[in-house]
Amino acid sequence: MSKTVVILGGSYAGLHIAHALLKNEKDLKVVLVSKNSHFYWNIASVRAIIPGIIKDEELFGSIEKALSRYPKDRYEFIVGGATASDFAAKTVTVTTKDGAEKQLSYDHLVLATGARCAGAESVPWKAAGTYEEAVELLHATQERVKAAGHFVVAGAGSTGVEAAAELGFEYGKDREVVLLCSDREVLGGDSIASNALAELKKLNVKVRTEARVESAARLPDGKTEIKLAGGGDPIVTDVYLPTFGLAPNSEFVDAKYLTDKKYASIDAEYRVKGAENVWAAGDIVSQPRAGFMITQKQAAGVAKNIGLVASGKQPTPVKLLPFDIYAVATGRSRGAGRAGSVKLLSFMVYMAKGKTLAVERMAGYIDGSVA
Ligand SMILES: Cc1cc2nc3c(=O)[nH]c(=O)nc-3n(C[C@H](O)[C@H](O)[C@H](O)COP(=O)(O)OP(=O)(O)OC[C@H]3O[C@@H](n4cnc5c(N)ncnc54)[C@H](O)[C@@H]3O)c2cc1C
């Protein structure tokens, strides 16, 4: 009898693993559970908040369509969320989109539920709910951006720098774009921080360093009042876009399988420590950091290891990229980046990333060629 692999999460990690298993492991049945019916190319969300630049169909791709290329008896796709798990009994409880509760038994379980923006403000950087909610939030953000004269992006990691740069590129000449950075330097002081800062200045983005948001409250007129730690005058803005505070989607997992920060605790083979045949990949792990190319490597490694274990062999350590590639798009013509410790020319980052924010690569997650 074929073994069942339940994959939780239908994004860069989960859908990749589903394709890899369905293509290469003919004796395994895949049950993919995802809160959203559509894959979301969230990497381009920093540009998609500006109306009229990227079409919805370039950002969202049907997961059902992605799986329909495989024989029907090889897979099941459930739109719903995992709410509880019992790793000893090898079961997961799932609440489907229409509110029904289902208990799924598995031979192998993959945690690929990623991370979400955990703050009170709704921002479209991740798809935390259904596909329909993600589209609605993106469109609502576009409407607010269109009408705004003043923007505050808070958090100067790569998402914050990219979002501020996109706003600066589009509106920097006649509207005000402020980037709040809690550290002394953007990008956590990475070696490309000064390059990114120079690019932001060219786009008229006002960068305030050592400016940590203490609170942000929506005012009756729809604007947001932001108070910074250490006092000073509050900032009132039309559109407030926090980019800090990602939290792992791991509430359905017993804390003993998680790190102190609630990420999946894994070994070198990406098995969840202390659990039998439970694997994890992507932002639920966030090691060495959250990133889609890192996620691709982890997904490939986990799929391979499930295949090995299912055929009675030993899993092997998951290999990541030989060196770190860090590329930050700064608007629709430039960027800052490095390969390992070697800095990349602004134009190279634009060509490799900023030109399209890689939206064309979503096709690989739908047609399966990613795996
Ligand atoms: C704005 C932004 C820009 C980025 N740009 C880049 C970039 O340029 N380069 C780069 O390398 N990385 C980038 N990243 C990081 C990249 O997006 C992540 O590494 C990637 O999304 C990780 O994919 P994942 O599948 O692990 O998780 P996620 O993309 O977080 O997806 C998790 C999936 O699981 C689902 N889910 C959640 N909870 C449950 C549950 N209980 N049950 C079932 N399903 C559930 C979610 O709905 C979602 O579909 C960016 C991130 C952000 C936020």
Side-chain angles (χ1 to χ4, degrees), residues 7-339:
I7 302 172
L8 303 175
S11 186
Y12 301 88
L15 191 52
H16 185 150
I17 293 169
H19 278 302
L21 294 176
L22 288 164
K23 280 166 97 168
N24 305 325
E25 306 296 337
K26 305 281 184 245
D27 290 336
L28 296 178
K29 181 181 175 186
V30 169
V31 180
L32 179 62
V33 180
S34 177
K35 280 191 175 175
N36 26 36
S37 59
H38 285 58
F39 180 95
Y40 180 34
W41 193 264
N42 74 310
I43 288 169
S45 60
V46 289
R47 183 169 298 162
I49 57 172
I50 295 163
I53 309 279
I54 305 180
K55 296 189 189 88
D56 288 352
E57 51 272 32
E58 293 179 278
L59 294 167
F60 297 96
S62 163
I63 295 174
E64 187 61 62
K65 185 178 164 202
L67 298 179
S68 65
R69 67 197 63 251
Y70 304 106
K72 280 259 174 277
D73 60 346
R74 296 268 338 269
Y75 74 89
E76 186 182 352
F77 176 44
I78 299 172
V79 181
T83 49
S85 57
D86 183 338
F87 292 171
K90 294 196 173 174
T91 58
V92 179
T93 308
V94 166
T95 303
T96 63
K97 199 181 168 191
D98 49 21
E101 199 166 89
K102 272 189 164 193
Q103 201 172 60
L104 306 176
S105 295
Y106 63 81
D107 296 290
H108 290 265
L109 177 69
V110 180
L111 309 180
T113 46
R116 66 180 181 281
C117 310
E121 191 77 20
S122 295
V123 278
W125 312 137
K126 287 272 189 156
T130 64
Y131 159 63
E132 291 77 11
E133 285 164 352
V135 174
E136 196 182 314
L137 175 59
L138 180 63
H139 289 177
T141 309
Q142 289 168 343
E143 284 305 309
R144 292 179 57 222
V145 165
K146 192 173 165 185
H150 189 279
F151 307 90
V152 171
V153 177
S158 42
T159 300
V161 168
E162 288 191 343
E166 292 293 335
L167 291 167
F169 186 92
E170 187 69 16
Y171 305 117
K173 289 200 176 79
D174 50 5
R175 308 191 201 178
E176 189 162 320
V177 183
V178 178
L179 175 63
L180 301 178
C181 171
S182 61
D183 296 329
R184 283 191 189 159
E185 285 186 274
V186 299
L187 303 177
D190 190 274
S191 61
I192 61 164
S194 57
N195 306 68
L197 183 64
E199 298 295 344
L200 288 165
K201 283 188 175 158
K202 283 184 203 148
L203 297 167
N204 291 330
V205 174
K206 294 185 175 58
V207 180
R208 286 182 62 176
T209 54
E210 297 185 82
R212 183 181 294 277
V213 174
E214 191 172 74
S215 66
R218 198 61 86 81
L219 301 173
D221 62 1
K223 293 178 191 266
T224 302
E225 184 183 70
I226 302 157
K227 290 185 179 151
L228 299 179
D233 289 340
I235 308 168
V236 175
T237 187
D238 298 319
V239 173
Y240 171 57
L241 295 167
T243 65
F244 54 86
L246 276 188
N249 296 316
S250 60
E251 288 78 4
F252 61 93
V253 178
D254 191 316
K256 71 180 175 200
Y257 302 109
L258 303 174
T259 66
D260 54 349
K261 293 199 169 139
K262 309 286 179 218
Y263 289 90
S265 172
I266 47 138
D267 62 17
E269 289 78 28
Y270 281 64
R271 270 180 306 212
V272 173
K273 285 183 189 165
E276 194 188 348
N277 291 350
V278 182
W279 309 81
D283 282 13
I284 187 79
V285 173
S286 289
Q287 274 183 32
R289 63 180 167 84
F292 113 93
M293 284 192 287
I294 296 167
T295 296
Q296 276 196 330
K297 288 283 183 192
Q298 294 173 346
V302 164
K304 184 177 149 213
N305 279 343
I306 291 173
L308 286 170
V309 173
S311 56
K313 299 190 182 109
Q314 283 300 314
T316 56
V318 173
K319 289 199 190 97
L320 301 182
L321 299 164
F323 54 85
D324 191 29
I325 298 175
Y326 191 35
V328 179
T330 51
R332 304 205 297 276
S333 66
R334 296 180 66 82
R338 61 175 169 77

